[in-house]
Each structure stands twice: as C-alpha cells, then as structure tokens.
Amino acid sequence: MSAEDSPAKKPGPRERARAQTIADIIGLGRRHLAEHGASALSLRAIARDLGVVSSAVYRYVESRDELLTLLLIDAYNELGDAVDRDVDALAEGDFRGRFLALARAVRHWAVQEPGSYALLFGSPVPGYRAPGDRTTEPGTRVIMRLVGILDAAHRAGALTAVAGGAVVPQALAGNLAAVRDELGLDLPEEVLARGVLVWTSLFGAVSFEVFGQYGPDTFPAREELFQHQMETLAGLVGL
Amino acid sequence: MSAEDSPAKKPGPRERARAQTIADIIGLGRRHLAEHGASALSLRAIARDLGVVSSAVYRYVESRDELLTLLLIDAYNELGDAVDRDVDALAEGDFRGRFLALARAVRHWAVQEPGSYALLFGSPVPGYRAPGDRTTEPGTRVIMRLVGILDAAHRAGALTAVAGGAVVPQALAGNLAAVRDELGLDLPEEVLARGVLVWTSLFGAVSFEVFGQYGPDTFPAREELFQHQMETLAGLVGL
DNA sequence: CAAAGTCAAGAGCAGTGCTCTCAAAAGTTG
DNA sequence: CAACTTTTGAGAGCACTGCTCTTGACTTTG
C-alpha cells in the first residue's frame, strides 16, 4: 500500500520501465489464466513469454501468490469497470434496466474472461489466501452497485411490493440490519434478503454457464435463458 | 474399458486386493482434495501416504486425470446419496418439504466436503475434461431429483400459480420443450424455466458460502440465510 | 567519473506427472 | 508340490514447476 510514499515526486525513467514490465507480466498472466487456468499459472512460462529467464521475473513480482493478487485486483476492477460502464449508460431512474444491464455485464465479462472469472468466483486456489486489505474494495464493487440500485429504487418508491415473502428469522434480520447500517441503506430486511439472493443467484447462473455445468447442448439459447432468469430475479425483488 | 468381460466369474483374491487398493487410493485422494484442493492433487503424495513408491500407484490408476475422474464419480454419488436419503425421509406428497430437504442436503454435504464440492462445481481443473459417458449419469442425479419433485407436484396440482411471470422467449421455450420431452416431464415451459433458475440459484448460494464470497463476518447466521433463500426460491416455483 | 542501485543469468533445491526396466512376490496351473 | 504366468513394487530418469542465492554486467545518480 505505502510503497511509493512520495505521492507525486518524479516518475523517473526507471520506475516507468519497471511499471511497464510489471504491466506486461500482468498481461501475460491474464493470458495464461485464460488459457491454462488459475492454478496452472506458471511464473516460468511467463518468463519464457517475456523472453527472460525465470528468476528475473522475481525482480518485479515477489512470488506467484503476489502475481495472483495483482491479477485478482486487476480482474475485479475490470469487472467493476465493465459493470459501471453498462449501468451508467442507462438513465438513473431506470432501475430495472440498470439491474438487467449489471447482470448482462457480469455475464458478458465472465464469458469473455473465463480464466479471470474462475479466479474470482471459482474454487479457491489451494495454498492462496487473498490479502483482504487490498482486494475487498475492488471485490465488492459489483454487489455495492447492485444494492445501490435497489436502494435508489426503494427510495424512489419504485419497488413494487412482492407477495409471498417468507418471514426473515431473527438472527438473519440482525445481520441484514448491520449490513444496512454499515452501508447507509434504507432497505427493509425482506428486500435486502432478497437482494442477497439475487446476488448469489446471478453468480450462480453465470458460474453454471462458465464452468460448463449445463450439458453441452442442453441450452443452446443461453443468452435467452440468462435474460429470462434475470428478469425473473428482477421481479423477485420488485424491480 | 472392457476389462472384466465376464460379468460374474469369480472375484478372486487378486482382484479383491486390487479393488481394495484402488479404494484406499480414492480415500486418500479425497483427503488430499479436502486438505489441499483439487488442482494440488498429487499422486506422489498419495503414494507417500500409502507407504509406497510413486510409480507403484500407476499400477492401479492410469493417470492423475483418471484419479480425478474416479474422485468425481465418487463425489457425485455421495452427494446424490445424501440428497436421496434426506428427500426420501419425507412423505412423497410433501413437495415443498422435499425441495427444502434437497437444498439443505446439498449445502450440508458441500460444507462438509468443500474439496469435493469444488471439484464438482468450482472452476474446471486446467488440463482436465471429465469423460461424459461415465460422469453424466451420477452428475445429473440432483437436478433429476429436483425436476422430479417439481413434476410430481405439478401432476398433483400442488403448484400454486406464480404471478408476474416474464414470457419465455421462443428459442428458450424450444430448449425447454426438448428437455421436458427427453425426461418425460409434464411441466409447462414457464415452470421448467423457473426450475432451472432455482437449480442454478441453489448452487450459487452454496458456492458463495463454500468458496468464501461472503465477507468473513457479514453473515454469521448462514444457516438462516440459506434457509430463507431456499424458501424464497420455493415460492418462486409455486412450491 | 566513481559509487550506488538495479538487473538478468545461471546453478541449485525440492517438488510434480509420468515412463521405463528389473527383480521379487503372488496366484494359477499341471 | 513344483513350474509357469501374471502382477506388483522399487528405482532411475525425463521434463516440468516455484523459489533462492550468487555472480557479473549494466544504468542511474551524486
């Protein structure tokens, strides 16, 4: 975090070259991620592609885990940017449209970058634990955006009351209230609970597709399937 | 593949010992899976635990991928058995109860065997592709059971009509009709579509929990959260 | 211009999947 | 029971992995 403690001293030709090399490594890392999967990420292979001996890479990246962290942050931010872009393209008051755009953006990015998606939302990499202080902020951008849409819709009175809501048990209501207070939201527990369900369901649907859980040709109309699922989920929270 | 062409000749002391050794290897494999993750599965480590040199293991398991396949089938069947057990414990006509039991069984097994769960529903293992002819049958047991419950409920007229159903687009309706015919179901497209959503959402919720997507202490009441989510999903399909 | 800092290379350690050869053990058969 | 056949385990070896350490060269800076 406090690596460059001098906020804006002078870039210098050296740090520029160094930053460029690190960026190249991340780029190659993403390619390897997409082609061979997260846990097959090899610093040696990256060094080869970089035209350099393996040990040289350690000058720029502390370890394989460090590279994984860099890729994690990079991927989270790319996903977050993609979501922001598509959501912001719609009117602020178009809550349902914004939710559907968010969902489509997640799916689109995931299908296009299955390796990175697997790193973020797939099985945890065996010996690796993400450093929370650097990954939580980028890692929560999508859910923040999602609850933001819900909250805005609720504040605008645009959420239609949903029927057949099961009661939220005491313990869960407490957790939800804590989340609401921490994020400064205005949503009732029932809506927040359904929002969490929508969140997990969205990624469940995307994961099924990206990880190949559907049969090879059970759902050729995957786009339509996903769209229909998201519309159903939108209805579930009254959007 | 057609190793034992004589269906039921004589077990023989040799094949018995061999089968036992393979069973031991699978058992150790499952332990390693749980402790170090799917892609860190090492035949050499298993050989060590087995008290044998690495090359000896290849006498029993063709390759690392073959062992992965064996573990995959084993895990699918364990999950299937767990689900069957819990579902069958309830009356045939208790459709909603059976669905909730199925969901709880999936979650329970997943939490208890995160390694195996990750192998089945997490990121695909880099160089590995499951042989469909041996894994599809055990791999579809849960969804078969789920649609079975839905179909039975529908045939019994126990599915309450759900409001606000988005229309199922043409292409998707075709896919769903094909699935329905192939499985001999009686469900209308709208219900089947929602059934698929429930399916993916169930595993989305479980994956979030098992893969640690929730913050470390955002939802201490995970049991209640899951239960509430499943009840909401049950309502979604009219159960 | 020389000191300080940075860099790539190479050797080396311990681990991996997998193949091969060879001798011992075990079961099967006459 | 002895001879034969099959199965088994051990060991060496290949190519790969992450990572560390030392060495020599190169660039930037005071």
Side-chain angles (χ1 to χ4, degrees):
Chain A
M1 279 338 202
S2 56
E4 301 101 19
D5 23 85
S6 359
K9 256 275 181 64
K10 32 188 165 180
R14 212 154 203 172
E15 6 259 273
R16 282 194 60 82
R18 184 179 175 80
Q20 182 55 51
T21 304
I22 293 183
D24 288 353
I25 292 176
I26 293 181
L28 286 171
R30 281 182 44 185
R31 266 190 33 202
H32 278 93
L33 216 57
E35 287 169 16
H36 315 295
S39 57
L41 186 69
S42 154
L43 280 189
R44 282 184 125 107
I46 289 179
R48 258 196 306 277
D49 284 18
L50 207 76
V52 108
V53 90
S54 75
S55 58
V57 181
Y58 286 84
R59 281 277 128 82
Y60 301 95
V61 170
E62 208 175 46
S63 67
R64 203 191 88 116
D65 284 10
E66 168 70 11
L67 175 57
L68 235 39
T69 300
L70 292 177
L71 289 169
L72 203 67
I73 296 172
D74 187 64
Y76 269 133
N77 278 325
E78 247 206 18
L79 172 60
D81 290 348
V83 165
D84 282 350
R85 198 181 321 118
D86 286 14
V87 169
D88 288 334
L90 271 65
E92 247 181 272
D94 184 6
F95 306 113
R96 182 183 168 95
R98 286 193 151 200
F99 164 70
L100 292 174
L102 179 146
R104 265 195 310 267
V106 170
R107 173 176 179 270
H108 189 248
W109 182 83
V111 169
Q112 218 149 21
E113 302 273 358
S116 298
Y117 180 83
L119 178 61
L120 304 190
F121 300 100
S123 346
V125 182
Y128 174 72
R129 248 196 65 72
D133 51 320
R134 295 160 66 194
T135 55
T136 40
E137 189 272 325
T140 49
R141 286 178 59 181
V142 173
I143 178 61
M144 287 306 177
R145 205 69 222 256
L146 178 54
V147 297
I149 294 171
L150 269 184
D151 195 55
H154 176 254
R155 288 186 138 100
L159 284 187
T160 64
V162 283
V167 313
V168 178
Q170 189 75 47
L172 177 57
N175 294 171
L176 293 168
V179 169
R180 176 184 52 205
D181 293 350
E182 194 181 321
L183 301 182
L185 302 174
D186 193 34
L187 296 166
E189 277 93 2
E190 303 86 50
V191 178
L192 198 50
R194 284 172 179 245
V196 175
L197 174 59
V198 167
W199 179 40
T200 60
S201 300
L202 158 58
F203 283 95
V206 172
S207 290
F208 255 52
E209 188 169 339
V210 173
F211 296 160
Q213 294 291 338
Y214 296 131
D217 20 60
T218 312
F219 291 113
R222 297 205 169 160
E223 187 104 33
E224 287 86 347
L225 173 63
F226 183 76
Q227 180 70 20
H228 182 74
Q229 290 180 318
M230 292 307 114
E231 285 172 4
T232 305
L233 288 178
L236 193 68
V237 282
L239 269 177
Chain B
M1 296 326 161
S2 54
E4 300 101 20
D5 24 84
S6 4
K9 257 274 183 63
K10 30 188 166 180
R14 214 153 202 174
E15 5 259 275
R16 282 195 60 83
R18 182 178 176 81
Q20 182 55 50
T21 304
I22 293 183
D24 289 352
I25 291 176
I26 293 182
L28 287 171
R30 281 181 43 185
R31 267 192 29 203
H32 278 91
L33 216 57
E35 287 168 17
H36 314 294
S39 58
L41 185 71
S42 154
L43 278 190
R44 282 184 127 109
I46 289 179
R48 261 195 305 278
D49 284 18
L50 206 76
V52 109
V53 89
S54 77
S55 59
V57 181
Y58 285 85
R59 283 274 128 84
Y60 301 94
V61 168
E62 209 175 44
S63 66
R64 204 191 88 118
D65 284 11
E66 168 69 12
L67 175 58
L68 235 39
T69 300
L70 292 177
L71 290 169
L72 203 67
I73 296 173
D74 187 64
Y76 270 134
N77 279 323
E78 247 204 19
L79 172 60
D81 290 348
V83 164
D84 282 350
R85 197 181 321 118
D86 287 14
V87 168
D88 288 334
L90 271 67
E92 246 181 273
D94 184 7
F95 306 114
R96 182 183 168 95
R98 286 194 150 199
F99 163 71
L100 292 174
L102 178 146
R104 265 195 311 266
V106 170
R107 173 176 179 271
H108 189 248
W109 182 83
V111 169
Q112 217 149 20
E113 302 273 359
S116 298
Y117 180 83
L119 179 61
L120 303 191
F121 300 100
S123 347
V125 182
Y128 173 72
R129 248 197 65 71
D133 50 323
R134 294 161 66 194
T135 56
T136 39
E137 191 272 325
T140 49
R141 287 179 58 181
V142 173
I143 179 58
M144 287 305 176
R145 205 70 220 256
L146 177 53
V147 297
I149 294 171
L150 270 182
D151 195 54
H154 177 255
R155 287 186 139 102
L159 284 187
T160 64
V162 283
V167 13
V168 178
Q170 189 75 48
L172 177 56
N175 295 171
L176 292 168
V179 169
R180 176 184 51 205
D181 294 349
E182 195 180 319
L183 301 182
L185 301 174
D186 195 33
L187 296 167
E189 278 93 3
E190 303 86 51
V191 179
L192 198 50
R194 284 171 180 247
V196 175
L197 174 60
V198 167
W199 178 40
T200 61
S201 299
L202 158 59
F203 282 95
V206 173
S207 290
F208 256 51
E209 188 169 340
V210 173
F211 296 160
Q213 295 291 338
Y214 296 131
D217 19 60
T218 313
F219 292 113
R222 298 205 168 159
E223 186 105 30
E224 287 87 347
L225 173 63
F226 183 77
Q227 180 70 21
H228 181 75
Q229 289 179 320
M230 292 307 115
E231 283 171 4
T232 305
L233 288 178
L236 193 67
V237 283
L239 268 177

